[in-house]
Amino acid sequence: MKVLVTGGAGYIGSHTVVLLIEAGHEVVVFDNFCNASKESIRRVEKIVNQKITVVEGDIRSREELQKVFDVHTIDAVIHFAGLKAVGESVEKPFIYYDNNVHGSTVLFEVMAKNACKSIIFSSSATVYGDPHTTPILENFPTSATNPYGRSKLMVEEILRDVYVSDSEWKIVLLRYFNPVGAHKSGTIGEDPNGIPNNLMPFIAQTAVGKREYLSVFGDDYDTPDGTGVRDYIHVVDLADAHVKAVEKISNFNEVMTINLGTGKGYSVLEMVKAFEKASGRRVPYKIAPRRAGDIATCFADPSYAKEILGWVATRGVDEMCEDGWRWQMSNPMGYKS
Ligand code: NAD
Ligand code: WQD
């Protein structure tokens, strides 16, 4: 298939492009590089040993998107492009709604105009808000506590409306839990700007000596060791689910909403320990106050993904940490290394 990958130069996108090409698909990457480096594309080209077709453009631009459809016959779109920093979204809601919501509607409109009606959308476990129980099933109530999460919910709803208006659309909403790790080669991985917001890149930067210590946000949650529990999922497992979704998309006759997680939760302190084991380095930490908006426990019931996509996550936390560490060690300054 020929797949347009918006945000294909980013963290999850770059790993997905590798797996798509390895599975024999053609890829067109569309990215404005607002949170990505062109070096990531060069590294992907090295892994797959071929040139990648890249169009530099913004999903908010009808003209830039139309140029892609003028030149390529696209079978399906995987839509990663978006902004993802929760805290920043609280400070800059306009930018988040403009980029994530308006940008997505422009993309869908251009797709429809060009009779391309198959889309896989990057949603997030954040749409479950503070779940009443775990593991989390796809039919749990949704809510959002910040503009980022609301932008994901809005796009989900928009896509449901699109389907109601035209049932020729094939729509898959993938709700990711906590993506971590990196490609085995250690040449592509997560490259956050400035101080990382997320746990794993912060741990990795502490292990490599870039940060003095990790602040553990709260040790008084109702969890076995008091620290927050999350469902960490290897980015390559996540990428694999996208390949499976794209290959099965033509069979779907309703909007598919699918959790992508491992089904297992690990606490902050368990992740620190796993990373120390993988890296052979110490990860100093201090207990700090809870972070606003955090919940105690979040992990998926991933059985629907198995049933519908034939997908299960196969990589455990040790492998997530080993691969994340290889990337961090080989690229202490990310793609600038
Ligand atoms: P990322 O920032 O690494 O990748 C996003 C890519 O989109 C970047 O390459 C960026 O340059 C590009 N982009 C952003 N706005 C654009 C625009 N207007 N036009 C064109 N390109 C644009 O993020 P990621 O971690 O790879 O996440 C990919 C998607 O998955 C995002 O939609 C994110 O919200 C979602 N998601 C991520 C996580 C996570 O923890 N990483 C969890 C759940 C969902
Ligand atoms: C994990 C755990 C923190 C940093 C976020 C987004 C979510 C999704 C994934 C996009 C929590 C603790 C963290 C630190 C810490 N992204 N922590 N010290 O909050 O589960 O989810 O990323 O869709 O929308 O909200 O992930 O990695 O930030 O935190 O103790 O320096 O680590 O309190 O328990 P989170 P995270």
Side-chain angles (χ1 to χ4, degrees):
M1 291 169 74
K2 194 165 200 174
V3 185
L4 174 64
V5 184
T6 75
Y11 173 45
I12 307 170
S14 57
H15 289 81
T16 303
V17 168
V18 169
L19 266 63
L20 282 168
I21 290 175
E22 286 174 349
H25 300 290
E26 282 181 76
V27 168
V28 178
V29 168
F30 186 88
D31 202 301
N32 68 357
F33 294 94
C34 70
N35 196 37
S37 157
K38 292 189 180 151
E39 180 61 20
S40 77
I41 298 287
R42 282 191 284 276
R43 306 265 182 107
V44 168
E45 287 177 336
K46 252 191 156 166
I47 295 171
V48 298
N49 198 22
Q50 62 173 259
K51 283 269 332 141
I52 308 287
T53 306
V54 181
V55 177
E56 188 166 349
D58 194 303
I59 52 165
R60 289 166 294 185
S61 164
R62 279 180 186 76
E63 295 71 31
E64 286 169 1
L65 280 170
Q66 184 53 49
K67 277 190 199 150
V68 175
F69 287 91
D70 287 344
V71 178
H72 302 278
T73 305
I74 302 293
D75 298 305
V77 176
I78 304 182
H79 178 31
F80 293 108
L83 301 175
K84 62 166 181 178
V86 172
E88 186 187 56
S89 80
V90 175
E91 283 157 28
K92 302 173 180 168
F94 294 132
I95 294 180
Y96 273 70
Y97 291 123
D98 180 44
N99 202 75
N100 294 6
V101 181
H102 169 232
S104 294
T105 59
V106 172
L107 171 68
F108 307 152
E109 202 190 310
V110 175
M111 286 175 67
K113 199 174 140 209
N114 291 277
C116 172
K117 299 182 182 176
S118 294
I119 182 145
I120 295 167
F121 173 61
S122 299
S123 188
S124 167
T126 196
V127 302
Y128 295 113
D130 192 353
H132 57 288
T133 181
T134 45
I136 299 171
L137 280 159
E138 287 83 355
N139 61 6
F140 275 26
T142 54
S143 68
T145 51
N146 56 69
Y148 168 73
R150 234 178 313 279
S151 77
K152 290 293 170 193
L153 269 180
M154 286 178 181
V155 176
E156 285 198 0
E157 290 299 304
I158 289 166
L159 282 170
R160 290 182 217 283
D161 287 340
V162 167
Y163 182 76
V164 169
S165 77
D166 176 356
S167 61
E168 277 180 15
W169 276 81
K170 307 284 180 188
I171 298 170
V172 184
L173 311 174
L174 297 178
R175 292 176 174 166
Y176 316 152
F177 281 67
N178 290 56
V180 297
H183 188 262
K184 271 271 170 282
S185 63
T187 60
I188 56 172
E190 189 170 12
D191 184 15
N193 266 328
I195 302 171
N197 298 307
N198 295 113
L199 179 67
M200 286 304 276
F202 204 105
I203 289 182
Q205 292 192 5
T206 309
V208 86
K210 236 173 119 177
R211 315 259 161 225
E212 204 185 329
Y213 62 89
L214 166 77
S215 294
V216 174
F217 298 142
D219 67 347
D220 58 351
Y221 284 105
D222 184 14
T223 61
D225 66 17
T227 66
V229 168
R230 297 289 183 274
D231 187 339
Y232 298 94
I233 172 168
H234 197 296
V235 66
V236 176
D237 277 330
L238 201 60
D240 178 45
H242 290 74
V243 176
K244 293 201 159 64
V246 105
E247 289 173 350
K248 293 211 152 71
I249 200 162
S250 60
N251 304 333
F252 298 150
N253 291 318
E254 56 183 306
V255 177
M256 306 300 285
T257 306
I258 305 174
N259 282 343
L260 295 179
T262 65
K264 293 188 199 79
Y266 288 88
S267 74
V268 175
L269 295 181
E270 284 174 324
M271 293 310 284
V272 167
K273 224 180 242 158
F275 207 89
E276 286 183 331
K277 185 174 146 210
S279 63
R281 301 276 182 103
R282 256 179 41 72
V283 178
Y285 67 84
K286 291 184 186 172
I287 304 298
R290 289 182 178 195
R291 183 173 65 180
D294 274 356
I295 56 174
T297 304
C298 176
F299 59 94
D301 181 332
S303 30
Y304 194 54
K306 185 175 180 191
E307 182 190 328
I308 295 299
L309 301 178
W311 173 90
V312 280
T314 60
R315 295 160 179 86
V317 284
D318 288 342
E319 197 169 346
M320 298 176 204
C321 294
E322 282 157 21
D323 294 343
W325 177 237
R326 191 177 305 108
W327 154 252
Q328 179 67 58
M329 274 284 281
S330 333
N331 305 273
M333 309 301 288
Y335 286 114
K336 284 184 219 82
S337 300

